[in-house]
Structures are given as structure tokens and as C-alpha cells.
Amino acid sequence: MTYKLTGNDPLLGTPLNAVIRLADNAWIPIDEANRDYQEYLEWVAEGNTPEPADE
Amino acid sequence: MSLTQIKQSNISSDFNPSYRNLIINGAMQIAQRATSATGVSNSTYPALDRWKYFLSGPTVNVSQESFSLGQTDVSGEPEFYLRNTISSNSGASDYAIVAQHIEDVRTFAGQTCTLSFWAKSSVSGNKIAIELNQTFGGGGSASARVVTGDSDVVTLSTSWQKFSVTLTVPSISGKTIDPSTNTSYLELYLWLTGGSTWDSRASSIGNQSGDFDIALVQFEAGESATEFEHRPYGLELALCQRYYYVPLNYRWLYALTSGNTGNRRGNADFPVTMRSQPTVTPTWGQYASGTLGLQFGSAQGVTFYSDGVPDTSYTTVIFTAEAEL
């Protein structure tokens, strides 16, 4: 499993507040109530690093 | 006109919706994701709504099967049952579980409750072990998960039988639920196979194979099972959509201003407020290419954006939204 950070809205410049699960292009909200985000946090805690956001 | 008091005992509970069944999709009607799945993965919701699978070792296939009209083996004229086909397991640590996570660990805490369901197996003598667990949330301040283990076991035959099991849910006195997230739940485990490693939690059912057919699952307060509560289809679907939603039609993304070179937006409201802000997986519909993502999201809906789409192209999106426990 790998993830990618999201940057800013291309038009408004505001943060998109999500991480992308690259296996299925799922947009996971930065919200601890979301189980996919919990899995992402566990993945990071294991020493993994997400891909950077697109410029 | 005078009013006459109606005694509660004179009201039949069989036909009045009381919301007594805390299992969602216990009649196996709702299948937003799929009606079948082969090679089920661990910790996934592969097919019928709300039914989650945990496994290691065996091959697990699941499918929504239909009862024939007028059959009398299972009362109440149900339409569907859930078939779980288990194969290729012999290791001590192998297991397969079909589970339902019931939102909020306060559910039935400290109470006696009853699980009832109909079941049969292609192999007479196969067993299903029942276990209840409590999870207090994902935050750091939450109490550790409580595993009751070894709650009860039923033995199946090749004919449909109704089973009723009375269970005691542990008290949550002294426990802590993470206040920042809505992630606590009561967990119902139906163990379909479990090698010797799991004897203390799975009532020593051992490694089992074959079809395990399950219908009309109900979990209610009290020491006895009542007739299965058939809720209206639309209500059952809405209960499921609190956790998973896939729309049946494409959503259009529209250019924000005249002359805008590719930036477009489109909103999608969910039919019910979801348990939490869901994971949303968007894919292009027809006529488009370029960047597709989410601008805003909440438990009630999302706003999609696209970028880099030629002005001469249409832009549509389809998606899934998941807020399961």
C-alpha cells in the first residue's frame, strides 16, 4: 500500500485535506473517525513515507 | 369521545416496526457493492452491505442467494440469504469470520441480549461460533478492545434451522471512549472456521470447509428471540448508506466561469448523513481526462474538481463513499 499527499486546490489555493491511496485512487479525509485514515496513520507509524503532492 | 387505554400486551410485536434489531441488512437484501465476491480479502466488505470479513488462510467466496417463492423451510418468506463458501484451510492459525460492527460501544452494554438467525451447511455437523467484542475507538485515550471470547456455538445440519443464543454484553463501567471520533462499536463475530490456535475464542470449532448459509440475522435486547423484524427496503437501504454509498448515476462537473481553461466543480450530496466523513473514490465518467479530485468533503456530501480538461470536453464523475467501522 502506498499513499500520496494532496496539495492545494488548483483554483482557490486552499488545502485539499486528504491523502490519496494510490492502489484505488481513494481520497481519504484527514479525519481520525475514518478507518482508512487510521490505517494510513498506522502505515506512517511503521516508518513509511507518502509520496509528495503534485506541484 | 372517551379514550380507552390500550394494553401493551395486546399489541403484537410481530408486525410493528420497533427497531429492535440492531443488525443492519440482517435479511441480506442490500448489495450496493456486489452480490458476490470470490477470494475475499481480510478486513474487507466484499459484497452484501454491512457484512465484514476477517480471515487468514482459507479461500472465502460469498454470494447473495435467493430463496424460492413459497418455500416453507424458513418462515416469513425471506428473499435472500448469504452463502459463505470456505475452502483450503487446515492450519492451526487459519480462520474465517463474518462480522458486523454495530456503531457505538454503548450498545447493549451490561445487558442480556439475544442473537437469532437461520443457518444450514453443505456439511452436516459444521459449527458456527459466536463471539462479542467491544472496541472503544481509534484515539489514544480510548480503552483497549475487550474480547469476550468463546460466547457460544451452534451446530448446523444440511437443512435450515433457526438458532437463538442468549449473550451477556460486558459492562463498560470504568471504560473510556475517545470523545473526538465516532469510532467505537460492538462487534459480532460469526466464526466459520478456526484452527486450534483460536480454540478459546471459537469454541474449538476447528478447521471447517463447505457452504455456510445464513439468513434473517437479528440481535435484540432481552433473553428471548422475537420474530425477525422486516423493515421496509428503503429504510434498510438508508441504514446501510450511513456507511457506504454508491450513486446510480453520473454527476456532472461544470465550468466555473466563461473562458475558464479546464477548472470545473460539481457537488454530490449523500442520501443520508454518513457515520463520518467518508473515503471517496472518484472515477471519470464519460468524455473526460485530466486531473480529478475532491475539493471539499463532509459526512453529508462532497465537491469534486477537475483540472486540465479541454474546454471542448464534457466532464462527468462516478464515485463510491465509504465510512464503515
Side-chain angles (χ1 to χ4, degrees):
Chain A
M1 192 75 73
T2 55
Y3 297 87
K4 182 179 179 179
L5 301 176
T6 59
N8 295 327
D9 184 305
L11 188 66
L12 304 178
T14 52
L16 293 170
N17 292 321
V19 293
I20 300 172
R21 185 172 57 208
L22 293 175
D24 58 358
N25 194 41
W27 284 60
I28 299 169
I30 298 175
D31 179 355
E32 290 196 22
N34 181 290
R35 72 182 184 115
D36 294 315
Y37 186 63
Q38 291 175 16
E39 288 182 7
Y40 166 75
L41 292 178
E42 292 171 7
W43 181 81
V44 172
E46 291 168 358
N48 297 298
T49 303
E51 296 181 13
D54 293 332
E55 292 296 326
Chain B
M1 186 177 76
S2 63
L3 294 175
T4 301
Q5 184 178 11
I6 300 173
K7 293 181 179 177
Q8 184 67 35
S9 59
N10 289 337
I11 301 174
S12 168
S13 62
D14 292 351
F15 304 103
N16 293 309
S18 62
Y19 304 97
R20 62 186 180 276
N21 187 8
L22 294 195
I23 297 295
I24 298 174
N25 203 21
M28 313 301 177
Q29 293 173 288
I30 313 297
Q32 292 187 91
R33 294 175 178 83
T35 56
S36 65
T38 57
V40 170
S41 298
N42 180 43
S43 192
T44 59
Y45 291 83
L48 305 194
D49 280 54
R50 301 297 293 130
W51 293 106
K52 186 174 186 178
Y53 286 77
F54 296 96
L55 60 104
S56 177
T59 298
V60 178
N61 300 333
V62 302
S63 60
Q64 182 191 52
E65 303 289 338
S66 297
F67 284 105
S68 57
L69 289 175
Q71 60 80 29
T72 56
D73 295 333
V74 177
S75 61
E77 198 73 47
E79 186 174 7
F80 297 112
Y81 60 93
L82 170 64
R83 170 161 289 174
N84 307 276
T85 303
I86 312 294
S87 61
S88 306
N89 78 108
S90 57
S93 61
D94 289 356
Y95 68 94
I97 297 161
V98 56
Q100 183 148 147
H101 289 171
I102 301 169
E103 185 174 339
D104 195 346
V105 74
R106 296 174 183 86
T107 304
F108 290 159
Q111 296 183 45
T112 300
C113 52
T114 299
L115 174 74
S116 59
F117 58 96
W118 291 78
K120 66 180 176 70
S121 175
S122 60
V123 179
S124 183
N126 268 348
K127 298 176 180 178
I128 294 178
I130 297 131
E131 182 186 48
L132 291 176
N133 304 311
Q134 293 168 310
T135 296
F136 293 84
S141 63
S143 295
R145 183 169 183 249
V146 172
V147 175
T148 61
D150 205 25
S151 295
D152 217 321
V153 63
V154 298
T155 302
L156 312 184
S157 72
T158 55
S159 301
W160 284 107
Q161 292 176 273
K162 185 176 182 178
F163 297 98
S164 175
V165 175
T166 300
L167 305 161
T168 299
V169 180
S171 167
I172 57 173
S173 177
K175 302 292 185 182
T176 302
I177 300 171
D178 178 14
S180 64
T181 65
N182 178 27
T183 53
S184 75
Y185 53 87
L186 176 65
E187 181 178 61
L188 171 66
Y189 268 15
L190 301 177
W191 288 78
L192 306 178
T193 182
S196 57
T197 300
W198 306 103
D199 280 355
S200 64
R201 292 181 59 186
S203 299
S204 303
I205 61 174
N207 296 106
Q208 304 184 121
S209 296
D211 295 335
F212 294 76
D213 298 340
I214 301 171
L216 301 184
V217 185
Q218 180 154 288
F219 189 49
E220 59 194 308
E223 296 182 350
S224 60
T226 64
E227 285 296 307
F228 183 82
E229 179 183 32
H230 286 280
R231 291 186 288 246
Y233 181 90
L235 172 59
E236 204 71 32
L237 176 61
L239 292 173
C240 292
Q241 287 175 333
R242 176 168 171 78
Y243 305 93
Y244 183 83
Y245 170 57
V246 55
L248 300 179
N249 56 321
Y250 292 107
R251 306 301 167 99
W252 286 85
L253 306 186
Y254 299 99
L256 296 176
T257 59
S258 175
N260 187 301
T261 56
N263 275 296
R264 302 177 187 196
R265 296 290 189 273
N267 293 326
D269 293 330
F270 306 141
V272 300
T273 300
M274 301 190 76
R275 180 192 63 81
S276 67
Q277 185 177 345
T279 296
V280 176
T281 304
T283 54
W284 286 116
Q286 295 171 299
Y287 313 121
S289 61
T291 302
L292 174 64
L294 270 65
Q295 179 189 8
F296 299 124
S298 75
Q300 295 185 328
V302 288
T303 300
F304 296 101
Y305 76 84
S306 67
D307 193 20
V309 179
D311 284 349
T312 54
S313 293
Y314 301 100
T315 321
T316 61
V317 62
I318 194 78
F319 66 95
T320 62
E322 180 174 320
E324 296 280 6
L325 286 160

